[in-house]
Amino acid sequence: MEKNKRIHFNKPYIIGNELEYIAQAVNNNNHISGSGPFTERCQDILEESIGCIHALLTHSCTAALEMAAILCDIQPGDEVIMPSFTFVSTANAFVLRGGVPVFVDIRPDTLNLDEKLIAPALTDKTKAIVPVHYGGMPCAMDEIMDVAQKNNLLVVEDAAQAYLSRYKDRPLGSIGHMGCLSFHETKNIISGEGGALLVNDERFKDRAEIIWEKGTDRSQFLRGDVDKYSWQDIGSSYMPSDMIAAFLLAQLEQAEKIIASRSRIFHQYYEELKSLEAKELLRLPHLEDGSTGNGHLFFIIARNAEEYRGLVKHLASENIQAIPHYVALHSSKAGLKFSRVAGSMKVTEDISQRLIRLPLYYGLKENEVTRVTQAIRDFFR
Ligand SMILES: *Cc1c(COP(=O)(O)O)cnc(C)c1O
């Protein structure tokens, strides 16, 4: 019976005081719109844990990326360097401002933006670089910041998957001029939909707040800095309800525990599959200095597209939900219309046809992980 129970790719979970805090938001605080007491507590935790100068909760990482694109002052025709092996929002946020995503290939080991390909992709229209920390594993930020500085470019870290992951002891999201986090239910720390913009440069602090508050200086008004508030700039409604922040606070309070649990699952997968990698039957995530990042995702890379299809089918027949990741943006319908590539996309095209993500969520049991790895071993028997 146990054998056939479905193992889902992801499951949302309650870990602590989520529901109690939501009740408090409604009953005690009498504040359920945005920018309330729970929002403030979440932002304090983010500022403390990441070390950014200002954190603003948003209703998604997509929203945070859109705010970042406004703050970068992207004008029609401005180019933004990013990987094609990423989620749609990384590119869309800049396209909404008239920007042109310029895709460069990823590294075959980390699957992150290949930092050596950035300089050759620059033109006099390049305005920003958006490194994506795939699976919470860090991009080569020293090299990326160096190219940016030499060419006067802004860096927005898409740290959607990377909360509490580090690069040389520095939290991801704290290194670029801005960082963007996601609390979508598929990420490590969740609030259904949710995200945050992290500001690491004083220049952007005040404007970020105005964009967040629908283009008004309402935040300054609430602090008593101005005696009425009014329309100051472009902006939108980017803040979540304080009920969402209440849910999120309970998760943030347990972040270390959630990440420790996910990292244990990551390690178990790694240990139980490494003999297959040693036989060169498949590839596992590349561990920089042995670090598993924040245990965000575990994937296997099949030897070719045919074996990939066979593996997914075999796992499905064992009632295990294993799924691919990104359809390379440069080859998608909108990507062809709105963006361009710089150089070969060989690694991106190859990897996106062979990578399979395995079930990984808080509460996934040890014997379930073993069922997945056993099914993979059976496939190669
Ligand atoms: C999940 C994700 C996003 C989008 O996050 P939302 O909160 O769903 O908007 C953006 N970029 C990357 C790399 C992601 O993984």
Side-chain angles (χ1 to χ4, degrees), residues 179-211:
C180 301
L181 298 177
S182 174
F183 304 117
H184 183 263
E185 79 167 26
T186 52
K187 303 301 200 288
N188 286 15
I189 309 298
I190 62 175
S191 61
E193 303 282 349
L197 175 73
L198 312 170
V199 178
N200 300 316
D201 186 321
E202 281 293 342
R203 278 182 293 168
F204 302 114
K205 186 169 179 265
D206 294 342
R207 191 170 183 220
E209 229 171 39
I210 287 171
I211 293 165

Side-chain angles (χ1 to χ4, degrees), residues 28-296:
N28 307 5
N29 297 352
N30 294 313
H31 185 132
I32 57 172
S33 61
S35 195
F38 279 107
T39 298
E40 208 154 291
R41 285 166 74 184
C42 289
Q43 291 178 172
D44 287 347
I45 290 181
L46 294 177
E47 285 165 13
E48 177 119 341
S49 60
I50 293 171
C52 54
I53 61 172
H54 201 33
L56 291 168
L57 284 198
T58 56
H59 46 73
S60 63
C61 181
T62 301
L65 286 160
E66 288 177 19
M67 289 178 69
I70 296 174
L71 287 165
C72 287
D73 201 24
I74 297 297
Q75 300 297 318
D78 284 349
E79 296 182 346
V80 183
I81 309 261
M82 63 181 72
S84 168
F85 189 67
T86 182
F87 187 64
V88 173
S89 298
T90 316
N92 231 342
F94 293 88
V95 170
L96 281 168
R97 307 248 63 83
V100 180
V102 173
F103 298 122
V104 303
D105 211 356
I106 51 173
R107 284 168 48 153
D109 54 356
T110 61
L111 312 187
N112 282 330
L113 189 69
D114 188 335
E115 65 278 7
K116 291 194 187 61
L117 301 178
I118 296 173
L122 299 177
T123 71
D124 55 9
K125 294 201 157 170
T126 311
K127 197 94 169 247
I129 308 172
V130 188
V132 178
H133 305 297
Y134 184 67
M137 300 293 192
C139 295
M141 290 308 294
D142 282 345
E143 288 81 356
I144 291 170
M145 295 310 291
D146 195 45
V147 184
Q149 202 191 354
K150 283 189 180 123
N151 296 280
N152 199 19
L153 306 174
L154 292 170
V155 175
V156 177
E157 293 179 72
D158 183 338
Q161 307 174 9
Y163 182 54
L164 293 190
S165 212
R166 289 170 173 270
Y167 171 75
K168 298 186 181 174
D169 259 9
R170 298 167 70 188
L172 296 182
S174 74
I175 305 169
H177 299 87
M178 289 163 249
C180 301
L181 298 177
S182 174
F183 304 117
H184 183 263
E185 79 167 26
T186 52
K187 303 301 200 288
N188 286 15
I189 309 298
I190 62 175
S191 61
E193 303 282 349
L197 175 73
L198 312 170
V199 178
N200 300 316
D201 186 321
E202 281 293 342
R203 278 182 293 168
F204 302 114
K205 186 169 179 265
D206 294 342
R207 191 170 183 220
E209 229 171 39
I210 287 171
I211 293 165
W212 187 61
E213 271 281 19
K214 300 130 187 134
T216 75
D217 53 356
R218 185 164 173 275
S219 296
Q220 280 171 280
F221 169 72
L222 294 176
R223 281 194 297 267
D225 297 346
V226 291
D227 57 11
K228 54 188 172 194
Y229 73 89
S230 63
W231 191 14
Q232 302 289 320
D233 200 339
I234 61 167
S236 189
S237 178
Y238 285 119
M239 59 182 64
S241 141
D242 222 44
M243 287 189 286
I244 297 294
F247 190 103
L248 180 64
L249 178 67
Q251 290 258 325
L252 287 171
E253 286 174 345
Q254 304 289 334
E256 301 287 350
K257 183 174 159 192
I258 293 167
I259 288 172
S261 158
R262 296 185 72 112
S263 298
R264 268 198 303 278
I265 296 168
F266 183 111
H267 269 294
Q268 193 189 342
Y269 272 128
Y270 196 86
E271 288 304 313
E272 294 181 13
L273 292 172
K274 70 181 184 193
S275 63
L276 297 181
E277 185 176 48
K279 288 181 204 151
E280 295 184 3
L281 294 168
L282 47 73
R283 243 189 68 194
L284 304 179
H286 170 83
L287 309 186
E288 286 279 298
D289 307 323
S291 159
T292 56
N294 58 359
H296 177 58

